[in-house]
Amino acid sequence: MQFPPMPANEQERLKELYSYNILDTISEEDFDNITEIASQICNTKISQITLADSGRLWFKSSHGLPGSEVPRHLSFCTHAINNPGELFMVPDAREDERFADNPFVTGEPHVVFYAGVPLTTENGFALGSLCVVNDQPTQLSDSQLKSLKALSRQAMRLIELRMKKAQLENVTNSLNEKNKALEKFVGTVAHDLRSPLNNIIGVTDLLTTAYTIEPDVEELLQIVKASSLKLKNLISDLLEQSRSNKLLHESASNVSLEELRTAIKDLFACNDKRIINFNTSLDFIHINKIALEQILINLISNAIKYNDKEVAAIEIGIADSKQEYAFYVKDNSKGIANELMDRVFNLFEAQETKDNYGDKGYGMGLAIVKELINKMGGTISLDSTVGVGTKFMFTTKKHAQPRS
C-alpha cells in the first residue's frame, strides 16, 4: 500500500479548513441530501462528504456507511486532495498497487470502485472531497461525472454559507450585547443628567419668584432655564430613540380598539380644549400594541403642541385589508409648509416653527415614528395645508394570528 504524500501547502490548507469551524459538527440535512443524491445518480452504495484533518478523515455526511472518521493515511480521499482541481478515480482498487492491500479493500467495506471530487475553496485549498464508493467495478458516464462535480461545488457552497451564517450570528450577537450595554449607558447618563438639570430649573424658578432680582439678571436666569429645559428635552428624546427598538421585540396581540380609544383619551384629557375622535368599524386588531401606542402618542402630541386653534381637534382612523392595517391621524394644527414636508421624518431636522410652549424640537419624534412603522413592515406619508391642518397616513403589515 502506498501512503499519499502530504500537500506542499499542508499547513496553510489546515488553517483554511479550521477557519470553517465545521469539524465534529452534528449531522445537517442539506449535506445529507447531497450524499444521498450522489449515490442515486452514480448508482453506488456509499457516498460521503469528507474533510481531511491532520491525522484523520472526518465525514460531514456519510450515506451507506456507518462511522464518523477513519485514519487519514488509509483513506482514498487523501490522494484526491493532492490535485484540487481534478476528479480522482480508482476503477478497481484490487488491481491498483496503491490500494490493493488497504484494509478497507481487503476487509469491510470492501472498496473496489472510488471516485472523488475535491472540495476546493476560492483560495485553491482542497479541504476534502465528495466521493462515491462501490464494492464492485463501476463505470460512470459523462453525465454522471458532470453531476458529481456539480454536487461537489454545491457541497463547497454549503460549507461556505455555513461559515458565513456563523459569522453573521457572531456579529449579530456582538451587536446585541453592545446595544444592551449602550441602552444601559444611555439610561444611566439620562438619569444622571436630568437630575442636575431639574435642580438648575428649580433653582432658577426659586430665584425669580422668591427674590427681587435686577431685570438683566432675571433675563440671564431665564436664558439658563430655557437652555436647561431644551437640554432636558433632548435627553428625553435620545432616551426615547434608544428605547424604540425595544418596542419591536414585543409580540403582536389582539388589541381592543375600545380600550385603545379610552387609554388615548385618558392620556390627553388634562383639559377640555382637546377633542380626540376615533373613526373605525373594527373592534380588534392584531398588532404590536406598545409600538402602536408609541406611534399614536407621538403624532397626537405633535398635533397638540403645534396647534393654533382654540380647540385641538384630532381624528384617528383605522381600517384593514388582507395584507395590512391602514391608519391616519388628522388634526387642525398650524400645518407644515411644502418645503418642509420632505424633511419632517429626518432625524434632527425639526420644523422651523416653535411649539405652543415656545420650544423648537429636535426632530426626533417623527423620526422614531417612521423607524417603528418601517420595522413593522409599513410606510408613512403626510398631507398638510398651512393654517388648516395635517393628516399623517401610515400602514403596518398584518401578522398571522395564533390558532386558538
Side-chain angles (χ1 to χ4, degrees):
M1 186 176 73
Q2 294 181 6
F3 297 114
M6 285 288 180
N9 58 358
E10 177 63 3
Q11 293 306 311
E12 291 84 358
R13 189 196 71 82
L14 286 173
K15 183 178 179 181
E16 183 105 335
L17 170 63
Y18 297 151
S19 71
Y20 286 88
N21 291 317
I22 193 173
L23 292 173
D24 299 310
T25 55
I26 63 174
S27 174
E28 296 178 56
E29 184 179 4
D30 289 339
F31 291 96
D32 293 340
N33 288 340
I34 288 179
T35 53
E36 183 177 359
I37 292 170
S39 272
Q40 291 177 355
I41 289 175
C42 297
N43 195 27
T44 61
K45 292 183 177 180
I46 298 169
S47 177
Q48 296 175 313
I49 293 174
T50 69
L51 297 168
D53 199 357
S54 58
R56 60 174 178 155
L57 190 77
W58 180 76
F59 309 148
K60 176 57 186 172
S61 177
S62 183
H63 176 80
L65 184 68
S68 61
E69 61 183 63
V70 296
R72 177 171 165 175
H73 68 280
L74 298 177
S75 69
F76 286 59
C77 291
T78 307
H79 291 264
I81 66 172
N82 282 313
N83 295 291
E86 301 176 13
L87 179 142
F88 180 74
M89 186 182 299
V90 181
D92 192 333
R94 298 167 301 183
E95 299 177 359
D96 192 316
E97 63 179 7
R98 295 172 296 177
F99 305 105
D101 57 349
N102 187 301
F104 297 132
V105 176
T106 58
E108 293 291 339
H110 298 289
V111 176
V112 174
F113 171 80
Y114 171 93
V117 183
L119 302 172
T120 306
T121 69
E122 293 180 355
N123 295 324
F125 296 104
L127 306 183
S129 75
L130 168 65
C131 64
V132 289
V133 177
N134 238 351
D135 58 1
Q136 57 187 345
T138 303
Q139 293 282 341
L140 296 183
S141 66
D142 289 343
S143 63
Q144 287 174 315
L145 292 173
K146 184 177 180 180
S147 297
L148 189 62
K149 292 177 181 178
L151 287 172
S152 174
R153 291 192 295 270
Q154 185 63 27
M156 191 62 233
R157 289 192 185 100
L158 282 176
I159 293 173
E160 291 170 348
L161 285 173
R162 188 184 180 282
M163 179 181 69
K164 290 175 181 178
K165 179 183 176 183
Q167 291 173 340
L168 181 60
E169 288 175 350
N170 289 335
V171 170
T172 301
N173 291 336
S174 176
L175 287 174
N176 286 338
E177 291 300 318
K178 290 179 180 178
N179 283 338
K180 289 178 182 178
L182 181 59
E183 288 171 1
K184 184 177 180 181
F185 172 76
V186 169
T188 301
V189 170
H191 177 270
D192 290 347
L193 287 176
R194 281 188 293 190
S195 293
L197 283 172
N198 285 332
N199 291 336
I200 293 172
I201 295 167
V203 168
T204 55
D205 284 338
L206 178 64
L207 289 174
T208 55
T209 57
Y211 297 92
T212 302
I213 300 176
E214 296 295 328
D216 54 344
V217 176
E218 183 175 357
E219 183 179 352
L220 291 174
L221 288 174
Q222 291 300 330
I223 293 174
V224 170
K225 180 182 177 181
S227 298
S228 299
L229 283 170
K230 286 185 178 180
L231 184 54
K232 181 182 176 182
N233 290 336
L234 176 58
I235 293 169
S236 296
D237 285 346
L238 288 170
L239 187 58
E240 184 179 350
Q241 170 72 12
S242 71
R243 288 173 175 168
S244 64
N245 286 329
K246 276 187 173 181
L247 300 179
L248 296 167
H249 294 299
E250 298 291 331
S251 300
S253 62
N254 286 326
V255 177
S256 165
L257 293 186
E258 181 60 35
E259 292 179 2
L260 178 65
R261 178 189 293 110
T262 301
I264 292 293
K265 287 188 174 182
D266 288 347
L267 185 63
F268 293 97
C270 60
N271 65 53
D272 57 0
K273 293 188 176 182
R274 299 168 185 174
I275 299 175
I276 301 176
N277 290 321
F278 276 68
N279 180 16
T280 181
S281 61
L282 303 174
D283 295 320
F284 293 88
I285 57 175
H286 190 72
I287 200 168
N288 183 324
K289 180 182 178 182
I290 298 178
L292 176 61
E293 288 178 344
Q294 185 68 34
I295 292 167
L296 293 178
I297 288 170
N298 268 293
L299 294 177
I300 295 170
S301 295
N302 275 356
I304 294 171
K305 287 195 299 182
Y306 293 98
N307 202 296
D308 57 353
K309 310 301 188 299
E310 184 176 347
V311 176
I314 300 163
E315 180 178 292
I316 299 169
I318 306 173
D320 73 339
S321 64
K322 187 175 181 180
Q323 302 293 334
E324 63 187 15
Y325 292 112
F327 303 83
Y328 69 80
V329 177
K330 181 180 179 181
D331 62 52
N332 61 341
S333 63
K334 298 176 182 178
I336 302 171
N338 288 333
E339 62 269 19
L340 297 177
M341 284 200 283
D342 291 337
R343 295 162 41 198
V344 295
F345 296 111
N346 296 340
L347 194 62
F348 297 120
E349 286 202 35
Q351 296 188 52
E352 299 299 327
T353 56
K354 294 183 178 180
D355 63 23
N356 293 337
Y357 308 102
D359 294 325
K360 183 175 177 293
Y362 291 93
M364 299 189 70
L366 291 179
I368 293 170
V369 165
K370 183 179 180 180
E371 180 182 11
L372 286 171
I373 290 170
N374 287 345
K375 290 183 177 179
M376 292 170 74
T379 59
I380 184 169
S381 61
L382 69 95
D383 184 22
S384 187
T385 302
V386 174
V388 177
T390 300
K391 183 178 182 180
F392 288 92
M393 297 150 286
F394 65 94
T395 61
T396 62
K397 184 179 178 181
K398 292 177 74 171
H399 296 280
Q401 300 187 33
R403 293 180 180 178
S404 56

